[in-house]
Amino acid sequence: VWFGRLQLRGWIKVNTDGACMGSPDVGGCGGIFRTCKSFVKACFTDSIRQVSAFKAELIASSLAINYA
C-alpha cells in the first residue's frame, strides 16, 4: 500500500469492481489481491443474477472481506 511515497511493507491491497448489464439485470464482480510489491497473491470473480450496479459493487467488497 502506498501513502504518498511511503510504502508499507507486508501489506496486501485488494482492488474490487462490480458491474451489470442493466438496472437490475445480470451482473458480475471480481477482485485482485496484491502484495506491497505488486505481486498477485489471489483473485476472484463471481456472476450475479438480477442486481444493480451499486449492489454488484457491494457484493464485490463483501466477498473481498470474506476471502481476506
Side-chain angles (χ1 to χ4, degrees), residues 3-65:
F3 291 104
R5 293 183 179 252
L6 177 65
Q7 181 183 16
L8 299 177
R9 296 176 193 258
W11 281 52
I12 293 182
K13 178 182 177 180
V14 62
N15 289 56
T16 60
D17 193 20
C20 66
M21 298 291 288
S23 187
D25 205 353
V26 178
C29 63
I32 185 166
F33 293 86
R34 293 182 180 265
T35 66
C36 60
K37 296 188 181 217
S38 295
F39 294 113
V40 175
K41 293 294 276 185
C43 53
F44 66 92
T45 61
D46 195 11
S47 60
I48 312 166
R49 291 184 182 198
Q50 296 300 315
V51 69
S52 65
F54 179 70
K55 190 170 180 181
E57 295 278 352
L58 289 177
I59 291 171
S61 298
S62 177
L63 286 173
I65 291 169

